[in-house]
Amino acid sequence: MAFREWMRRASTEIKTIFGMPNYERYLEHHRKVHPDQPVMSEREYYLHCLKERYESGKVSRCC
Amino acid sequence: MILPGTDVDRETSFKGGRALNKALSIVVWTVISVLGAAAFAVLAWHRGETVSAAWMVIAAVCVYAVAYRFYSKFIGYKVFGLNDKRATPARVHDDGKDFVPTNKWVLFGHHFAAIAGAGPLVGPVLAAQMGYLPGTLWILIGVALGGAVQDFVVLMGSMRRNGKSLGQMAKEEIGPFAGILGAIGIFCIMVILIAVLAMVVVNALKGSPWGTFTIAMTIPIALIMGVYMRFIRPGKVLEGSIIGVILLILALIGGQAVANSSAAAYFTFSGQTLAVLMIIYGFIASVLPVWLLLAPRDYLSSFLKIGTIILLAVGILLTLPELKMPAVSRFIDGTGPVFAGPLFPFLFITIACGSVSGFHSLVSSGTTPKMLQQESHARFIGYGAMLMESGVAIMAMIAACLLDPGVYFAMNSPASAIGTTVQQAAQTISHWGFAVTPDQITNLAKEVGEKTILSRTGGAPTLAVGMATLFGQIFGPGMLAFWYHFAILFEAVFILTTIDAGTRIGRFMLQDLIGNAWKPFADTRNYGFNVIASAITVAAWGYFLIQGVNDPYGGINSLWALFGIANQMLAGIALAVVSTILIKMGKAKYSWVTIIPMIWLLVTTLGAGLAKIFSPVPSIGFFAHARVISGAIAQGKVLAPVKSMAQMHEVLFNDYLDGIVCILFVAVVVLVVLAALRVWYKVLFKKETLPLAESEFVSVDGVSATV
């Protein structure tokens, strides 16, 4: 069980470091702040994040 | 609840301990400083055949430690007034997505992964032609007083403004005119950056079926990952990435088999063909949906990048190789084959990333400021991550200098300087004073599994040979070819991702800029306008790429200088913006912290830019070169290595174009600085109080109460 917990934390941190979408974090935030609103599925959330990161003209990389 | 008495007891009992701690700290920092100074002395005055890389590592680590402990603390607290009582944007706007309070170490990783790129691996390799010492000194001094300062202060400025971008800060703190100029500057640097990085890939892959096959395979691999993460296991990015990395290693191994088979011919291309393929790829990739190609490729290259940097560091620390390059070579006079121009100012634009990189100001005002948990973390993340990036540049310098200087020059000099056969090359280079035999060059090519290593300019192949040599010492020489192609793969994958993502960013900037004049064009939901803006962006960098491949005077030699000038120019703009903020904050007496590096950057970029425009020496000045070419055209002569009259006209056009781009860069930076000076004058001499666009102070206590 401790191993699973460790894996979960490691994956969260890797996702944050590389700017990858983190669905669990989204769900948690959603539950906490606006539980009354409709929730995105994992696929919807994934596509939504990609759009935000790569198709908004924001610079997320360097030379 | 603590009783007053216990508190006092703790105070008194700690008094002795505190004095001891202080004494200990003085001893430790004195030792670090002396050690660093000693390492520098060895590097500077050592006159043997070789010198151990250990000295370079020690000098770097000591500089970083002292700069971080003292200078960044001064900037953070005395100058900017970091305050952990003030809630960061992540605390105020916590939305579980962009604004997320993030663990200090994790955010350090996030920021470092965003600023680390191919740049710090290329510049130092080119600068090694002047010997290891000038470049190393510039990397270390430049980062401590300039580069890390820039990243740190921009991060703090943006953090105090809800994570606003540099462009927005320029607009709000200096004026709308500066904002538009900044946007034009960023677009130009993007175009030159993509062209020069694409050039690096072309030079690494030309005539190399192993490399080309592996890189080509990354496209289907990314597509497979994309489909997996979109349809098969939606959103499971880590699973997708693991599959991708495994397939990539298989492609790397398969590349060797392909190179040794009859299929090799299908993957052997000339520089010209590769450039055209790259342009077609860039355009298609930038109009495809992001989930299909860009995102999976980005994940792959992020993992490869961090993995390779760690491998390189481990390799260097385990072997501590001997550096064979002299401390200072004869080429500081500006006659070197790798890049033209004397040490001042050209060294300072050749090594941009790793010392001072203007591009980082865009990252520091991007995602990172929205994720800071506490204000004080900005110091470790802004200043600290840039020190680590500088460490990457030092590693690249070590990798280039551990090669035989003769081999280094064979790989990094253009064909116009050393000819196209190993005999010619060995003769020319030995004549320069760096003994090398034709056999040495041929054998090395064979060992790394390539037909030739002559004129593989652009840094990546040199770094790859350096890395392969390091790993050869650890794992045995049998796998030299594998490590060489691994290093090439890493740089190429990373650069192809930048080409795709950079084209998209350029497209947005262009739509935004043109949108100022004609509103509908700014609508990014219009697919037609998107495609048009993408096409313009690709055409812009594509032209410079083609020019770099076709024009015998083009290539890394002229493009890298333009890129360096653009990158340092952006740093100058960023520092001007932050200096303005400091002056408006009433911290004018500390503003030298950003003004001194700004002036140095202006002196070097304007010095280099003006030399590129006005120098009478044809190898340096674009217009001087144009005069030589047009003189020859008037007499009906074709100057070698140009092959035809038509090409003479092309060379002439390119000289004018490069010169005009250079004028544009100089004009942008001068205008932005003038606009900033106007604001400074108003505040300091006319005593006007201009509004600071900082967001309101929110106390941490208030935030924790609402959550």
Side-chain angles (χ1 to χ4, degrees), chain B residues 281-557:
Chain B
Y281 167 80
F283 178 70
I284 295 178
S286 70
V287 295
L288 282 181
V290 282
W291 61 263
L292 186 56
L293 192 56
L294 176 56
R297 203 182 240 302
D298 193 19
Y299 299 154
L300 263 189
S301 72
S302 304
F303 284 120
L304 265 187
K305 174 173 65 182
I306 299 300
T308 309
I309 288 174
I310 294 172
L311 261 180
L312 185 57
V314 170
I316 286 176
L317 291 178
L318 281 184
T319 56
L320 290 175
E322 292 289 315
L323 306 182
K324 297 185 185 146
M325 189 64 82
V328 179
S329 85
R330 53 178 285 222
F331 293 131
I332 53 170
D333 63 357
T335 57
V338 183
F339 64 92
L343 189 137
F344 182 86
F346 288 99
L347 174 74
F348 304 99
I349 58 155
T350 301
I351 301 183
C353 318
S355 184
V356 184
S357 174
F359 227 93
H360 292 188
S361 62
L362 305 179
V363 177
S364 293
S365 60
T367 48
T368 313
K370 297 176 186 146
M371 295 161 76
L372 286 162
Q373 209 168 42
Q374 286 176 24
E375 284 213 334
S376 59
H377 291 179
R379 178 180 166 211
F380 177 60
I381 289 154
Y383 200 90
M386 181 60 194
L387 292 180
M388 189 142 136
E389 162 107 326
S390 165
V392 175
I394 291 288
M395 296 198 294
M397 181 62 98
I398 291 174
C401 292
L402 66 85
L403 302 182
D404 276 315
V407 169
Y408 167 84
F409 283 108
M411 295 189 73
N412 287 288
S413 309
S416 57
I418 54 166
T420 48
T421 67
V422 277
Q423 283 79 15
Q424 274 177 313
Q427 202 185 1
T428 315
I429 295 165
S430 298
H431 190 71
W432 289 338
F434 303 99
V436 65
T437 63
D439 283 351
Q440 229 181 319
I441 303 174
T442 328
N443 285 344
L444 182 62
K446 213 177 281 165
E447 276 174 14
V448 298
E450 288 290 303
K451 281 197 192 66
T452 172
I453 52 163
L454 282 187
S455 300
R456 290 224 177 254
T457 58
T462 308
L463 182 80
V465 172
M467 275 183 76
T469 313
L470 283 176
F471 296 142
Q473 283 181 27
I474 301 173
F475 300 106
M479 279 174 56
L480 223 52
F482 176 83
W483 288 117
Y484 173 85
H485 287 93
F486 173 80
I488 294 288
L489 167 73
F490 142 69
E491 289 221 40
V493 168
F494 179 77
I495 288 172
L496 287 181
T497 315
T498 303
I499 288 177
D500 185 348
T503 302
R504 282 174 202 267
I505 297 168
R507 178 237 283 178
F508 274 98
M509 289 175 181
L510 199 64
Q511 286 188 283
D512 203 40
L513 273 172
I514 296 179
N516 285 326
W518 187 53
K519 202 95 204 155
F521 200 71
D523 179 14
T524 52
R525 279 164 308 176
N526 183 317
Y527 194 72
F529 289 145
N530 288 353
V531 171
I532 293 170
S534 291
I536 298 175
T537 312
V538 172
W541 61 257
Y543 183 83
F544 283 97
L545 175 61
I546 292 281
Q547 165 201 338
V549 177
N550 280 339
D551 185 339
Y553 297 103
I556 293 296
N557 213 308

Side-chain angles (χ1 to χ4, degrees), chain B residues 205-209 212 267-271 274 450-452 456:
Chain B
L205 296 187
K206 65 182 175 196
S208 165
T212 310
F267 294 99
T268 309
F269 297 116
S270 67
L274 281 169
E450 288 290 303
K451 281 197 192 66
T452 172
R456 290 224 177 254

Side-chain angles (χ1 to χ4, degrees), chain B residues 39 83 192 222 264 292 335 367 373 393 432 466 477 588 638 669-670 688:
Chain B
N83 179 2
I192 300 289
L292 186 56
T335 57
T367 48
Q373 209 168 42
W432 289 338
V638 174
V669 70
V670 167
E688 287 177 37

